[in-house]
Amino acid sequence: MSSQVRGGTRWKRFALVMVPSIAATAAVGVGLAQGALAASFSVSGQDFKVSADKLDGQNLIQYGGIAEGHDLKGNAQHHPVTISGFSNAKITNMCQSLVTPTPLGNITLQLKTGHKGTPAEATNIYLDVAELDTDAEFTNLDIGVAVGDPSHKTKPQAGTVASPYAFSQRADRAILTNVKQKAWATTAGTFKLPNLKLRLLGGDQPCYQDKDVQD
């Protein structure tokens, strides 16, 4: 039986990986238990929120991983993540926020771009995602491909795969709308941010509130 789905496929509201949750949890869990999934680099002690009206990505690869780092007190932490890579991605109306505690109270670092008709554009971008809520459409989706399969158009991020036989999935194109995600890291070969606005705001002013994400 083929595990491939050809043409357009729509799934609404997925978290961690873009497959049914039981299969996704099992696949990532087995990989971690076998020591098959490695970390890319040491992440900071804070995750951040990203929202966007639309992400249009080419040549998706997606697989499980571990983001390793420390909390703000220096204690070691390990965060299970989904690593999503695209050869190219266009992001419309993107917001990124980080809330940091300070002696003066919480301060929010907020970045906005791609909101004046020209989307932000990234090449060779990888996202280490802990939570994701969105509406999604995929073209030429393959589920269950070995992460080390040489036919991947977007290769796994360097340093994140200990076993080439671990679970992954891919698609020629992924269109995500109404994106809300929590992430630990983003890396890109290039990232163009038109009409960039960076602000420090008093209090908690993230790109979205958790209450905005429906169960």
Side-chain angles (χ1 to χ4, degrees):
M1 179 181 295
S2 173
S3 65
Q4 299 178 348
V5 180
R6 296 301 181 189
T9 301
R10 292 179 181 272
W11 287 332
K12 186 175 181 180
R13 292 184 54 76
F14 61 102
L16 292 185
V17 287
M18 300 181 208
V19 296
S21 58
I22 295 177
T25 302
V28 173
V30 169
L32 296 179
Q34 295 174 344
L37 306 176
S40 56
F41 55 83
S42 180
V43 300
S44 75
Q46 300 171 272
D47 60 1
F48 54 93
K49 288 183 175 180
V50 178
S51 66
D53 288 348
K54 181 180 179 180
L55 185 153
D56 188 345
Q58 306 294 321
N59 300 320
L60 165 72
I61 184 173
Q62 193 170 63
Y63 55 99
I66 291 291
E68 295 181 334
H70 297 80
D71 63 19
L72 294 181
K73 295 182 179 179
N75 300 311
Q77 288 189 327
H78 300 80
H79 310 284
V81 295
T82 291
I83 300 172
S84 299
F86 299 92
S87 62
N88 179 275
K90 294 181 179 180
I91 309 170
T92 302
N93 196 21
M94 172 183 162
C95 174
Q96 178 177 305
S97 63
L98 174 69
V99 178
T100 299
T102 76
L104 301 177
N106 288 346
I107 298 294
T108 301
L109 173 65
Q110 189 180 93
L111 177 155
K112 291 186 177 181
T113 185
H115 55 285
K116 290 187 177 181
T118 302
E121 185 169 1
T123 61
N124 298 321
I125 184 171
Y126 295 89
L127 313 169
D128 289 11
V129 179
E131 295 181 11
L132 175 61
D133 291 271
T134 189
D135 296 321
E137 179 179 355
F138 306 99
T139 301
N140 293 338
L141 173 67
D142 295 330
I143 299 174
V145 186
V147 69
D149 189 293
S151 65
H152 283 301
K153 295 178 181 178
T154 298
K155 305 304 180 184
Q157 186 179 18
T160 62
V161 176
S163 170
Y165 311 111
F167 173 95
S168 76
Q169 58 191 12
R170 65 188 179 195
D172 286 349
R173 186 181 184 187
I175 300 176
L176 314 182
T177 55
N178 302 317
V179 177
K180 296 180 177 66
Q181 74 173 30
K182 292 182 181 179
W184 287 98
T186 298
T187 63
T190 63
F191 209 162
K192 298 179 181 178
L193 307 176
N195 301 301
L196 174 65
K197 291 187 176 181
L198 182 63
R199 300 288 187 270
L200 287 175
L201 308 173
D204 295 352
Q205 299 191 50
C207 295
Y208 66 90
Q209 299 289 344
D210 290 336
K211 66 181 180 180
D212 296 333
V213 178
Q214 300 177 358
D215 295 329

